[in-house]
Each structure stands twice: as C-alpha cells, then as structure tokens.
C-alpha cells in the first residue's frame, strides 16, 4: 500500500522503516524544523536509508520518498500522523485541503484529535483512527540509525465513524501492526499511557530532573517496587480517569491493566508486574532531561487538561489531576490550561458527534 507518514522524529522514522521492510511504499514527510533535521538530511542524501537495530537484529530499509511537501500525502491510502500532540490542530488544519475521499487518517497517539478532524475536515469523507501509543518504542541514536527498545504485542485503536469500521480494519490489518479494535476513539484517547505515566512520574520528579542535569531515567527511578507513595498518587489519578470513562459509558480499566494488555500475552501475570518489568528494561532511554520536556509540556496540557475539562463537564471530581496541572504550570512558569485541550477548543459539537457515534453514555 501507499502510506504517508507525517512527522520525521523518532517514532515516524521507525514506523517508516518498519512498514518499508513489510513491503509498503512509504512517503515520509517532515512537518517542522524543530528536531531531528540532521537525521532528515541524512535520509534525503542517502536514498531514505534507515537502519533498525532490534535487540541485535539489524535491518536496513530504503524509504521510498522523503520530503517536506504536504501535498505528497494525496496519493496515500493511509496517512499516519506521528508528531507531538501539541501541534495536531495546526497540522490537521494544514493538511485538510489535501486529504482525499476514503483515506484513513491514523493519529498516533490521538488524545481525541478526531475532534480536530471534524473541526477542519467536515466536508471530507475520510476515516479517522486513533491509537493509544506508538507501535515501536526507541530512539534515533545517530543519523540513519534507530535502536528499538520495545514493541507492543497489541496496539489498541479506535475508529471513527463506527459505520466504516470494517472497511478501516480491512486496510489497517495490512500494516501487520498487531491492531486490536476498540469501541471508540474516546477509549484510545483516555488510555494513552503517557497521560498517566509521564505526568505523575515527571511532575513528582521535578527536583531530581533538575539536579541530575540530564542523567535521569523516569522509568528506572520514579517507578520501582520501592516507590509506594508514587504508586499511590498514580493510582489515585488513574481512578479519576476511570471515573470519567465510566460516566461516558465505557468500562473501567486501570492503567496497569491497559499496559498489560498492550505489553503481554500472558493473562496470568500480575498487571503491575508487567509494567514494572517494562519500566526496568535496560533499553529505557534517559529522560526527561529537563523539566520543560514533552513529558510535562505535552502530556499535561494535551492529556491532563483535557481529562480535567471532561471531568468538569460531567461533574466528576479530578483533584489529583488538577493538582498536577497546578504544579506543572508553576514549575514551567506558564498557564498550561491555556495551552491545553478543552471541550471549547475541541468543539463540544464535535465531541458530541463522537460520543453519539459510539452510542456512549452521558453527554457533555
């Protein structure tokens, strides 16, 4: 299949190489000059050469096309957005003129960016898919070289509209990315693991992040068997998220159970142990290396602010979520609520359409 990937950062490059190796024709489109320009220039001058090192197995892909031209997405059957969620709205508005009938727009992760698609692409009969988390975890180690740290064994994904779910599944399964399909993009949005694990782990580690001067690994330090207080904060915040999901008509599913579902095929393993094993892997990259990193500046406004706003609209209390937003805003010296996703910014009518589409619970 012809596939366009928007975003040439860590995940975008890894997926571009991975799908190329699976036989697809990939167009990798860089959407900014913010990061990884050296890697992008390498790809342009080396015939799209990208090497994946996956626990010692080395595979080299030659990505079909590497460009900055958004118009190149027009011929793709599937368009995948792989950029920080802070910039989803601007990008969706930019690509709207180029999207074609029956294309699948896969947003990974989504944080309910389907609402932005409805906001800017109402005249486009496209299918939207939102994934919970990246299919391949790892880092660009040097230009043209990607080290794989982890792959999910299942990749939960929501489809909008529900009436086109079977058509979407038929195409998405050709990607061979271990997809399992949820009832709604809402579940994918609120089960984005970074909403929980990044925000609690990084906000509660702010002094350590500053003192370490780049020598900090959140997974190795914030989430261990010796951190019961941090776990209690995570579980309290996770309960607030589940309260919102339940009010919206979805099943209560904890962070660790969602993690277990993505990470393990063994139903007999304790869910928390699955996460702790994942956190302890020596392939976990260092980070965040500074307080103003995507762990806070992305996942607090795009994740926690959205969750808090949904809670307020549904009369569900979210005191832990609100506290983390307040602390993060104070630490960064700016109003993260003003930067974040709210029903007003996403569009209440758009959210209502998404909830009606999946015949969910209480309206906002």
């Amino acid at each position: 299949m012809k596939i366009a990937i928007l975003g040439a950062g860590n995940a975008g490059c890894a997926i571009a190489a991975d799908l190329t190796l699976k036989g697809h024709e990939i167009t990798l489109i860089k959407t900014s000059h913010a990061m990884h320009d050296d890697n992008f220039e390498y790809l342009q001058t080396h015939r799209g050469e990208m090497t994946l090192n996956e626990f010692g197995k080395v595979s080299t892909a030659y990505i079909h096309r590497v460009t900055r031209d958004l118009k190149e997405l027009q011929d793709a059957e599937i368009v995948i957005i792989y950029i920080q969620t802070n910039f989803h709205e601007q990008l969706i508005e930019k690509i709207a003129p180029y999207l074609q009938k029956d294309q699948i727009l896969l947003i990974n992760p989504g944080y309910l960016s389907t609402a932005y698609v409805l906001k800017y692409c109402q005249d486009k009969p496209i299918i939207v898919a939102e994934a919970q988390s990246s299919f391949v975890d790892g880092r660009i180690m040097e230009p043209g070289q990607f080290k794989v740290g982890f792959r999910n064994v299942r990749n939960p994904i929501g489809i909008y509209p529900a009436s086109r779910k079977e058509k979407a599944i038929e195409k998405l399964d050709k990607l061979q990315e271990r997809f399992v399909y949820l009832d709604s993009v809402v579940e994918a949005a609120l089960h984005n693991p970074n909403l929980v694990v990044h925000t609690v782990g990084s906000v509660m580690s702010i002094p350590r992040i500053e003192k370490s001067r780049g020598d900090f690994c959140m997974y190795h330090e914030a989430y261990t068997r010796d951190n019961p207080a941090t776990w209690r904060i995570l579980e309290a915040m996770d309960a607030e998220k589940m309260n919102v999901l339940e009010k919206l008509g979805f099943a209560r599913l904890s962070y660790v159970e969602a993690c277990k579902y993505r990470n393990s095929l063994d139903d007999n393993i304790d869910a928390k142990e699955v996460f702790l094993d994942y956190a302890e892997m020596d392939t976990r990259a260092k980070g965040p290396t500074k307080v103003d990193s995507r762990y806070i500046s992305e996942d607090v406004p795009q994740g926690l602010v959205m969750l808090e706003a949904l809670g307020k609209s549904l009369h569900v209390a979210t005191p832990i979520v609100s506290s983390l937003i307040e602390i993060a805003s104070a630490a960064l010296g700016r109003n993260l609520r003003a930067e974040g996703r709210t029903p007003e910014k996403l569009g209440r009518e758009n959210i209502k359409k998404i909830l009606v589409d999946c015949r969910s619970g209480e309206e906002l």
Side-chain angles (χ1 to χ4, degrees):
M1 282 194 300
K2 291 184 176 181
I3 301 166
I5 297 176
L6 301 175
N10 288 306
C13 287
I15 294 300
D18 191 53
L19 292 176
T20 297
L21 291 168
K22 290 174 180 174
H24 300 288
E25 184 179 313
I26 306 300
T27 297
L28 179 64
I29 304 174
K30 196 165 194 320
T31 61
S32 75
H33 291 273
M35 297 175 66
H36 302 297
D37 275 357
D38 55 345
N39 181 70
F40 184 73
E41 290 167 7
Y42 177 91
L43 296 178
Q44 287 189 308
T45 56
H46 290 76
R47 298 181 298 134
E49 180 184 304
M50 193 78 202
T51 298
L52 300 183
N53 185 334
E54 190 161 359
F55 305 107
K57 179 185 176 182
V58 178
S59 306
T60 299
Y62 291 89
I63 301 165
H64 180 73
R65 183 178 293 107
V66 181
T67 181
R68 292 184 184 273
D69 188 354
L70 292 176
K71 294 193 295 292
E72 294 287 345
L73 65 83
Q74 293 178 102
D75 295 329
E77 290 182 69
I78 299 175
V79 178
I80 305 177
I81 291 180
Y82 249 126
I83 68 168
Q84 284 193 24
T85 54
N86 307 57
F87 308 106
H88 278 186
E89 182 175 12
Q90 299 96 309
L91 181 62
I92 290 168
E93 184 177 14
K94 283 182 181 178
I95 67 174
Y98 308 120
L99 292 171
Q100 303 297 310
K101 178 182 178 182
D102 295 331
Q103 280 182 323
I104 295 175
L105 182 62
L106 171 56
I107 309 171
N108 192 350
Y111 271 155
L112 209 57
S113 285
T114 299
Y116 289 138
V117 179
L118 292 175
K119 185 175 182 178
Y120 294 105
C121 311
Q122 290 192 33
D123 60 333
K124 302 280 185 177
I126 62 174
I127 301 170
V128 185
E130 286 199 29
Q132 284 183 13
S133 67
S134 181
F135 316 142
V136 180
D137 182 28
R139 291 288 186 274
I140 297 170
M141 306 307 292
E142 58 183 82
Q145 302 287 325
F146 186 91
K147 184 177 181 181
V148 176
F150 190 80
R151 282 183 189 264
N152 292 340
V153 298
R154 299 186 186 97
N155 288 301
I157 193 167
I159 307 293
Y160 178 90
S163 62
R164 305 191 71 186
K165 186 173 181 177
E166 293 306 315
K167 181 178 179 63
I169 290 173
E170 181 182 345
K171 285 191 175 183
L172 288 168
D173 278 351
K174 293 178 182 178
L175 300 185
Q176 300 174 355
E177 289 293 351
R178 307 170 182 176
F179 291 138
V180 291
Y181 297 94
L182 303 169
D183 290 333
S184 170
V185 294
V186 177
E187 289 178 286
L190 294 183
H191 284 302
N192 179 339
N194 295 344
L195 183 152
V196 176
V197 73
H198 277 184
T199 56
V200 173
S202 57
V203 171
M204 301 311 297
S205 300
I206 285 173
R208 172 71 182 123
I209 295 168
E210 290 188 313
K211 183 175 177 59
S212 68
R213 300 183 184 275
D215 188 24
F216 173 73
C217 177
M218 182 194 71
Y219 286 98
H220 289 174
E221 297 191 43
Y223 296 115
T224 74
R225 291 169 177 83
D226 299 322
N227 296 79
T230 304
W231 272 106
R232 285 194 290 271
I233 295 169
L234 183 149
E235 289 165 353
M237 194 263 268
D238 194 37
E240 295 174 3
K241 181 196 74 177
M242 288 190 286
N243 291 341
V244 171
L245 277 164
E246 187 174 47
K247 197 71 175 285
L248 288 170
F250 300 104
R252 296 180 70 86
L253 182 68
S254 70
Y255 169 79
V256 291
E257 289 293 344
C259 174
K260 175 182 173 179
Y261 187 70
R262 289 189 301 269
N263 292 10
S264 176
L265 295 174
D266 187 346
D267 292 337
N268 296 317
I269 301 177
D270 178 76
K272 187 173 178 180
E273 290 300 314
V274 171
F275 172 75
L276 288 170
D277 288 343
Y278 169 81
E280 289 174 355
M281 291 175 67
D282 58 12
T283 54
R284 298 275 69 78
K286 289 183 179 180
T289 58
K290 58 181 182 178
V291 176
D292 193 355
S293 75
R294 67 182 181 88
Y295 288 69
I296 293 179
S297 60
E298 177 183 9
D299 292 307
V300 172
Q302 307 306 314
L304 294 192
V305 170
M306 176 183 66
L307 181 59
E308 178 191 58
L310 290 172
K312 286 182 178 178
S313 296
L314 296 164
H315 306 291
V316 175
T318 58
I320 304 298
V321 169
S322 298
S323 298
L324 290 169
I325 295 169
E326 293 287 353
I327 294 169
S329 295
L332 297 188
R334 60 182 196 258
N335 185 351
L336 294 180
R337 283 191 182 86
E339 300 175 21
R341 297 188 179 202
T342 63
E344 290 71 30
K345 288 185 179 179
L346 292 166
R348 288 183 180 274
E349 285 303 309
N350 298 327
I351 299 174
K352 182 178 179 180
K353 286 178 183 177
I354 294 167
L355 294 173
V356 169
D357 181 72
C358 67
R359 297 176 179 85
S360 186
E362 187 167 328
E363 293 184 6
L364 299 180

